[in-house]
Amino acid sequence: MPPRALLASYRRLFAAPGATAFTLAGLLGRIALSMNGVSLVVLLAERRGSYALAGTVSAAGLVTGAIGMPLLGRLVDRYGQSRVAVPAALYNAVPLAALLLCVRLGAPDWTLYACWAACAAAPNLGGMARSRWAHLYRDDPAARHLANSLEQALDELCFMAGPVLAMLLCTTIAPEAGLLTAGTVGTTGALLFAAQRGTEPPLPAPAPTGERHGSPLRVPGLRVLALTFLATGMVFGATEITTVAYADALGHKAAAGPLLALVAGGSCLAGLLFGLLTPRRTPGARFLLGVAAMAAVLLLPLAAGLGGAGPVTLGAALFAAGTATAPTMVTGMTLVQELLPQRQFNEGMAVAVSGIVVGISAGAALAGTLAERAAPGTGYVLPAGAAALALLIASAGRRHLRASGPAENGARVVSASV
């Protein structure tokens, strides 16, 4: 499809007043988030001379983030986006500034862990944006599907551009420049996003009398999604580390960045095209097909790695592997919206993202260990195996991946999806 026709197909989403404003504001916050990991590693490796320290400090932040994100999501569901995002964004700037100060002053290592772990209250702007789209197009399932596809493409775009921008700032200006820029842009984006009150979903009706307001994980379908997303996160983490190690072994370490960008590029393009498909199947069936496709295409990098392929062949395999990611993620987020009442949208999406974050950390750790002990390319066994695990989990829990009734925000349940 020509780029102009593709853009025209998505243009109708922004006919809703305020949609462009909250999308651009949210994009600022999300690109800042994608800069954090690389910026932290470069900063600590340069100022403290230890990649091991950088890795463990980063892991501490991932753990607390995985715990804090659903808790923050629950507050958003209960009090509204603006009332939570503003104080959370302002608070988050404090431990970030403290971390930079501790690095500058040569404070003990434990202070770095404490500061980065405290940066766990960053608002989940991606989840909030999806919640806004769900409210704006509550009576239009096709538009909601299109919006979720757009959001996934924007996520991939951020994770292509963010690390590159972070590395550029850290290496050309100062090691602190990446985190300083990310903190400033992230806080600004969150505040601008919260200021868009016209598109903020209204607070949902309270739970019916006698119904307990427990964790969304009480819903079996969300447990299946969270576990599947955890395995999917392992795919992401293992692919990243294995690709870096493989490119280094080939003597083309600088090619690692472009190779990983191809994965995100394949996912971004697939997400945009996926949004244009005519609804046919239920979300549960679509999700299972997406996970199956992901498991199949991840055999391509495995074959390339075990066969000793060069960067060009590996890049083609990674691009193909990325094309199955976005449809799976788009449908997964749609399922979260279908399975949960509106009053738990943000918490449910945060739980799903937390599963991905934990999986990324675990996959990266396993891939790093394997890269040191096995032949180059062997590490691609891990993402392929993690994708197979995701398929096993989704298949075993497929009967739970069905919406049981109308969503509480008045939206019709999507009875026919791609």
Side-chain angles (χ1 to χ4, degrees):
M1 175 178 289
R4 183 174 298 177
L6 184 66
L7 291 175
S9 300
Y10 278 89
R11 191 177 301 156
R12 75 183 188 95
L13 287 177
F14 297 97
T20 301
F22 83 71
T23 299
L24 293 177
L27 198 59
L28 282 178
R30 289 148 79 176
I31 199 167
L33 179 65
S34 70
M35 294 171 61
N36 281 339
V38 170
S39 298
L40 178 71
V41 169
V42 173
L43 171 64
L44 296 185
E46 179 68 24
R47 297 303 189 197
R48 293 297 176 95
S50 173
Y51 280 102
L53 175 64
T56 53
V57 171
S58 178
L62 288 174
V63 170
T64 57
I67 296 171
M69 196 179 298
L71 297 177
L72 200 62
R74 175 173 290 197
L75 292 176
V76 170
D77 286 327
R78 186 170 299 180
Y79 300 108
Q81 294 185 359
S82 297
R83 291 182 63 187
V84 175
V86 171
L90 295 176
Y91 156 81
N92 218 53
V94 175
L96 180 60
L99 173 74
L100 293 170
L101 188 61
C102 288
V103 171
R104 171 65 66 177
L105 298 178
D109 289 349
W110 69 264
T111 62
L112 308 181
Y113 289 99
C115 291
W116 195 243
C119 293
N124 179 18
L125 298 184
M128 292 184 195
R130 288 177 171 90
S131 182
R132 292 192 181 211
W133 288 120
H135 173 67
L136 286 175
Y137 292 105
R138 55 194 176 277
D139 297 320
D140 189 344
R144 292 204 305 275
H145 169 68
L146 196 66
N148 280 333
S149 299
L150 173 66
E151 288 298 318
Q152 185 61 37
L154 291 178
D155 281 342
E156 299 296 346
L157 179 64
C158 288
F159 280 94
M160 279 193 294
V164 175
L165 177 59
M167 184 65 74
L168 181 66
L169 290 169
C170 290
T171 54
T172 61
I173 299 178
E176 293 83 2
L179 275 184
L180 188 59
T181 301
T184 303
V185 171
T187 301
T188 302
L191 295 178
L192 289 175
F193 183 91
Q196 310 305 314
R197 301 297 296 270
T199 52
E200 180 176 345
L203 289 177
T209 304
E211 182 177 325
R212 295 169 60 188
H213 184 79
S215 167
L217 284 172
R218 293 164 59 90
V219 177
L222 187 61
R223 293 200 294 269
V224 174
L225 287 173
L227 289 173
T228 306
F229 279 155
L230 190 149
T232 304
M234 292 178 66
V235 171
F236 300 156
T239 298
E240 180 176 353
I241 299 301
T242 300
T243 300
V244 172
Y246 186 74
D248 192 17
L250 291 178
H252 298 284
K253 188 173 183 179
L259 286 172
L260 292 174
L262 284 171
V263 181
S267 184
C268 181
L269 179 60
L272 290 174
L273 294 176
F274 185 65
L276 305 179
L277 296 180
T278 303
R280 297 292 182 190
R281 296 183 176 88
T282 62
R286 187 173 77 221
F287 185 70
L288 193 59
L289 286 172
V291 177
M294 184 173 67
V297 296
L298 276 164
L299 295 175
L300 296 176
L302 174 60
L306 294 179
V312 175
T313 302
L314 179 61
L318 289 172
F319 181 86
T323 59
T325 301
T328 304
M329 300 299 296
V330 169
T331 310
M333 289 304 178
T334 299
L335 271 170
V336 172
Q337 296 171 7
E338 294 294 324
L339 292 167
L340 296 175
Q342 185 196 5
R343 64 177 180 275
Q344 290 187 312
F345 269 15
N346 289 282
E347 185 179 1
M349 283 185 278
V351 166
V353 173
S354 293
I356 297 170
V357 168
V358 172
I360 289 173
S361 181
L366 290 172
T369 300
L370 189 59
E372 293 181 354
R373 301 182 180 181
T378 306
Y380 285 113
V381 169
L382 289 174
L389 176 61
L391 178 58
L392 179 63
I393 294 169
S395 299
R398 64 185 180 277
R399 67 186 180 90
H400 297 301
L401 300 178
R402 300 172 185 168
S404 58
E408 291 185 15
N409 61 350
R412 294 193 305 268
V413 171
V414 179
S415 58
S417 261
V418 175

